[in-house]
Structure formats: C-alpha cells, structure tokens
Amino acid sequence: MDEPILTIEEREAINGGRWFSSLSPSLRHDILRCAYVKRYKDGELIAARGDPPEEWIACARGAVRVSSTSVSGKQITLTYVEPGIWFGDVAIFDGDRRTHDAYAHGDTSILCVAKADFRKVLASHVELYEALLRLHARRIRQLFGLVEDLNTLPLRARLAKQLVHLVRSYGVPQLADGSEMRIGLHLAQEELAQLLGASRQRVNQELKAMEREDVIRIEPGGLVVRNREALMRIVDTDNS
C-alpha cells in the first residue's frame, strides 16, 4: 500500500518520534510506504515469546506492555513501549526468536514492516544501519541507567523518576488546573511496582506520602501529578 492507514494523531506520533524524525525524508518515505497498521484491544497478545521475528514494529497509539513469566507462572511487566517508539529489530538482526511477550495496554495501534521489506529498506539505505546503531546505543545507555538506579537510588527517587517519565510521555493537562497533569497511561499499583523492582505495598506507601506532600493526587482513574518540580527535586535530592 502507498500509505499506512493511520489516524492524524497516530501519524503525528510516528513522525514525531525522536528517532524516526531524525531520519532523512527519503528513508522515512520508504519505511512508511511498505508499512501496515494493526489494531488491538486492551490485553490482546501482539507477539509471544518464542515467536519467530516476522515484523519490525512501532507503537502508534496506546502502549505495548512487554512482559515475561516467572518460574511460578506470574507475569512480570518489564516496560511499556510508548507511541513513536520502534522495537523488534534486534530479533530480526540476530535471527533468534522473540524473548518476551508483548500485549496491548489499552486500545493500541502498531505500525508494522514485514521482515523482508525491512531487509529491502536496509539494502537501499545505508543510513538505516547507522540510525539503528544509534538507537541500540541509546537502549544500552537506558538499560545501564536503570541498573544503576536500581542499585543506587532509594525507591522514593526511582518512583519520582518514573512518574516524571510517565508525565513526559503520557501527561494530559487538567482542564480545572493547567499546572496539574494526569498520567494518561493507566497503571495499577502492582504494574508500577513491577517497573520499579519493588513490592506493591512499598510503592503504595511512597505514593501516599507524595500525596500527603501535595506532589501527586491518587484518583480511581489514575494518578495526577500536581507538582512536577517537586518530583524533580525528589530525584535530585536522593541522587546527590
């Protein structure tokens, strides 16, 4: 197809992605020309661990929950892929099978490029090799940063840092007070705890402490960040 069938909002998310927007117009055109859209309802499986890598994927709307299953059978969330982020290229490069499960979190749209088309674009654009190297380098830096935070920062600082990231990616200004931001990605406290490598009880305690300090507000529909600067101060204070 000449153009993937994306909504205006989805197209803006793809084109506005930090990595994708850094590519040349001709490369972006060739990627989108062979891309197609898939849509999923909340909780639907997008890719399973052990699947052969058939597609290069970008999140266009919603979120993709990447998870694994423990020996006891418990599902553990590792990360959420936000709109504008591409993934799945590592398995195509090394030829190995998918290492994790991927589920739709909320109503989710993804943009897909078949493995054969991905290789054709690579053959036509040396630029893509260099761009993917930069992308992989950024992922490695982020991974090292997460490991460092887990080993050096207290839970309060790690939670504040995660909330700042969620506001940046999914923040929706409140109509009643523009200084407040609702986190549009709804996460249960158990899911938030898994991202932080902590228990739900400890995360709940820290959230309630932040609420008492008027930094956040806990509502049935999710979290509202009342003072983003205070969150940043928590990160900076505990990181100094």
Side-chain angles (χ1 to χ4, degrees):
M1 62 182 68
D2 291 332
E3 294 286 342
I5 306 173
L6 293 168
T7 66
I8 293 175
E9 181 182 0
E10 291 166 351
R11 185 177 295 278
E12 289 177 347
I14 293 295
N15 289 326
R18 176 182 170 189
W19 178 79
F20 191 74
S21 63
S22 71
L23 305 179
S24 67
S26 62
L27 176 52
R28 295 199 304 269
H29 173 269
D30 284 357
I31 291 172
L32 294 176
R33 184 174 60 179
C34 60
Y36 48 94
V37 179
K38 290 184 177 180
R39 304 188 189 281
Y40 296 87
K41 297 295 185 182
D42 180 44
E44 287 188 331
L45 180 67
I46 294 173
R49 179 175 183 169
D51 283 350
E54 300 296 344
E55 296 169 322
W56 183 36
I57 303 170
C59 180
R61 180 173 68 101
V64 177
R65 178 169 59 85
V66 179
S67 65
S68 64
T69 305
S70 68
V71 176
S72 63
K74 181 181 179 181
Q75 197 170 80
I76 301 171
T77 299
L78 302 175
T79 190
Y80 291 87
V81 179
E82 63 196 64
I85 302 297
W86 291 78
F87 64 100
D89 42 281
V90 172
I92 294 179
F93 271 122
D94 67 15
D96 209 344
R97 294 180 178 273
R98 301 286 190 196
T99 55
H100 298 91
D101 299 318
Y103 292 88
H105 188 81
D107 290 341
T108 299
S109 302
I110 61 172
L111 190 64
C112 304
V113 176
K115 180 170 66 174
D117 290 325
F118 175 74
R119 294 193 179 281
K120 288 178 183 177
V121 176
L122 273 175
S124 303
H125 295 269
V126 175
E127 173 196 350
L128 184 54
Y129 278 102
E130 297 176 354
L132 287 169
L133 281 174
R134 292 195 303 271
L135 181 61
H136 294 168
R138 187 184 306 159
R139 290 172 180 164
I140 292 171
R141 287 178 183 272
Q142 290 172 342
L143 178 59
F144 283 165
L146 288 173
V147 173
E148 181 180 6
D149 288 350
L150 190 60
N151 285 279
T152 61
L153 293 182
L155 176 59
R156 176 179 169 86
R158 300 204 312 275
L159 174 58
K161 201 169 185 178
Q162 183 66 58
L163 292 178
V164 169
H165 170 72
L166 290 172
V167 166
R168 187 182 302 120
S169 302
Y170 293 98
V172 180
Q174 293 286 84
L175 294 178
D177 186 345
S179 66
E180 295 186 351
M181 299 285 283
R182 174 179 295 279
I183 295 176
L185 181 70
H186 181 67
L187 297 179
Q189 288 189 10
E190 177 65 29
E191 294 169 325
L192 188 57
Q194 289 174 13
L195 290 176
L196 298 167
S199 68
R200 185 194 63 77
Q201 291 79 8
R202 289 190 61 206
V203 169
N204 178 261
Q205 290 171 1
E206 295 292 352
L207 287 173
K208 287 183 176 178
M210 289 181 183
E211 186 172 41
R212 288 193 297 271
E213 297 164 7
D214 293 327
V215 177
I216 66 169
R217 185 169 63 252
I218 303 171
E219 297 183 348
L223 294 175
V224 175
V225 173
R226 304 185 64 189
N227 192 331
R228 187 174 178 180
E229 289 71 25
L231 279 179
M232 293 301 301
R233 286 196 295 272
I234 292 171
V235 175
D236 294 338
T237 300
D238 289 334
N239 199 24
S240 58

